[in-house]
Amino acid sequence: MTEVVGTGRFPAASDDREGCGPIGQQEPLGGWLSYIGRLLTHSLQMRAIHTYRPLWLACTVLMAVTSIAGCSDSGSAGNGQPGNAHPLPDVSGPEPSIPSLTPAAGGDPSRPIDFKGGGAVIRPDGSMAFPLDAYDSADDEAVLARAETALGQQCMRRKGLELPASLKLDKGPEQPAPYVIFGVIDMKTVKVFGYREPSPAVAKPSATPSATPSAKPSTGPSASPGTAPQADGDIPPAVAQAFFDDPRKGKVGCEGEARQKLRGAHPESMFMLLQRYRSEALTAAQRDSRVRRATAEWSACMKDSGFPYPNPLAPGHDRTLLGRGLPTPAGASLPPPSPAEIEVAVTDVTCKRRTQYLQTIAMVNAAYQHQIIGKQARHLREAQLKQKQDVEAARKILHGSP
């Protein structure tokens, strides 16, 4: 996997601190974010392992996905088809301007953040909006996902196999929740969940988890967004071998056959193109002097409280912190959020508000997205046209038209 150079790196992995890559390596956030589409497309890789799922699980699983899918700068993200991806824009040069922040913009950490500025929006429910979001279409992605599922099912049946429910998609891929990318955000949520994915299944009655794609009712291991519930935890090896691609061996499974039939010779979807652009903008934002300064101020604030973490993603990756002081319940991989973990998370949110870290990185990220939109206008128009054609073809497949 080609490394995307950036400054906001995960803490090094060890027996206790989980990085986003092989043991002993660090992986920049921008490098893995561009492949998040494939992560959210397959419940085989994405399904929840245990209750009390930590925020770093998405990162850990994602690296497994990319190692299976294969990553290449010259090909579309992870589909094993060289040369299909639009080139990434050059966002080097002078740092883009952003509006000035006033001290009052930090707000009261006990109240949900509500911010809009420089093309970025941070909502009280913990969700965010950025300029590239204007090109997203959940409805289009759902139609494409259902059509690829139908074609994949046809392919599997020709091989005498049935596509299991866990691989049948009824929705397209979704972006990760903002707290996965930027760290914890909401004070009310962290007082219950600490550094875990919010889930009503383990929430206190008075809790109001952030309204994100991950905050959905669950009575056990949850399926990935866009998938039907998984009946059993396993996919038979014969089914996996027939369905999944293996780009390293040049093998195209029913997954790839369905994608090629639907999308043709250039299968990179609009979603994956946008994710690559989002990754590039976020990587540039991490290098930006204003984000680096805000990160340093956040780190100093945390250190003043006795928590020496280098960046806002580090605490949630610290396995020595998660559930510290509590036993691990039967059937869980980690203890529930402990008072020690919650204390760090509460301090984390407080420091983010005091230093206006979230507002800063959100506006800088939006500024680089604006740059990319300007530089890639032609490619975005081409991708929109291709998406429209693919959706029309998908509707015909779903309605049984030739």
Side-chain angles (χ1 to χ4, degrees), residues 23-364:
I23 294 297
Q25 295 185 9
Q26 298 172 318
E27 190 66 27
L29 179 63
W32 62 262
L33 183 63
S34 63
Y35 301 104
I36 199 73
R38 287 187 62 80
L39 167 72
L40 298 179
T41 307
H42 298 307
S43 63
L44 173 66
Q45 285 86 14
M46 184 57 186
R47 64 178 183 265
I49 298 174
H50 290 298
T51 310
Y52 310 124
R53 182 168 54 176
L55 300 184
W56 49 256
L57 179 62
C59 173
T60 303
V61 177
L62 178 59
M63 295 307 298
V65 176
T66 55
S67 68
I68 294 170
C71 307
S72 171
D73 283 345
S74 60
S76 63
N79 65 15
Q81 303 296 323
N84 291 331
H86 290 301
L88 288 172
D90 180 11
V91 290
S92 61
E95 294 179 344
S97 61
I98 62 172
S100 299
L101 287 169
T102 64
D108 180 357
S110 67
R111 299 177 62 84
I113 188 169
D114 189 359
F115 175 80
K116 183 176 182 179
V121 177
I122 308 175
R123 304 185 183 97
D125 65 3
S127 63
M128 294 188 182
F130 295 100
L132 282 168
D133 296 352
Y135 294 88
D136 276 324
S137 173
D139 291 342
D140 285 353
E141 294 296 341
V143 171
L144 293 169
R146 291 196 296 270
E148 286 193 19
T149 291
L151 292 172
Q153 177 75 290
Q154 293 172 13
C155 173
M156 294 292 283
R157 285 176 175 171
R158 289 197 301 272
K159 297 181 179 184
L161 298 168
E162 192 72 18
L163 192 66
S166 59
L167 296 178
K168 294 179 180 178
L169 309 178
D170 57 15
K171 285 170 50 179
E174 298 174 353
Q175 293 188 66
Y179 56 75
V180 175
I181 303 172
F182 302 105
V184 291
I185 296 172
D186 179 63
M187 183 66 77
K188 191 171 184 179
T189 301
V190 300
K191 285 183 176 181
V192 177
F193 299 106
Y195 287 103
R196 317 307 174 89
E197 291 191 47
S199 169
V202 293
K204 295 179 181 178
S206 60
T208 306
S210 209
T212 66
S214 295
K216 294 181 180 179
S218 172
T219 56
S222 59
S224 132
T227 67
Q230 189 165 340
D232 53 45
D234 302 306
I235 292 176
V239 171
Q241 184 176 9
F243 182 74
F244 292 110
D245 299 343
D246 188 349
R248 293 177 179 178
K249 296 181 179 179
K251 171 183 170 294
V252 177
C254 286
E255 169 195 39
E257 179 180 315
R259 182 177 59 247
Q260 291 172 2
K261 280 187 176 181
L262 178 60
R263 302 180 189 271
H266 302 286
E268 183 179 48
S269 68
M270 171 63 88
F271 180 85
M272 289 307 303
L273 177 66
L274 293 177
Q275 291 304 86
R276 294 200 303 121
Y277 288 171
R278 288 178 175 120
S279 171
E280 191 71 6
L282 186 58
T283 301
Q286 291 174 317
R287 291 193 298 258
D288 191 279
S289 64
R290 293 157 296 189
V291 172
R292 295 177 68 177
R293 182 167 57 250
T295 300
E297 291 172 353
W298 174 90
S299 182
C301 177
M302 292 289 286
K303 188 175 182 180
D304 288 344
S305 295
F307 309 125
Y309 289 102
N311 63 66
L313 291 181
H317 288 69
D318 183 1
R319 288 190 178 184
T320 68
L321 170 65
L322 303 181
R324 181 182 295 164
L326 294 180
T328 301
S333 59
L334 287 169
S338 66
E341 176 183 341
I342 289 172
E343 180 186 7
V344 176
V346 166
T347 306
D348 184 344
V349 172
T350 300
C351 287
K352 282 191 175 86
R353 297 295 285 273
R354 286 179 181 173
T355 61
Q356 301 185 70
Y357 170 83
L358 289 169
Q359 294 91 326
T360 300
I361 194 170
M363 288 199 299
V364 172

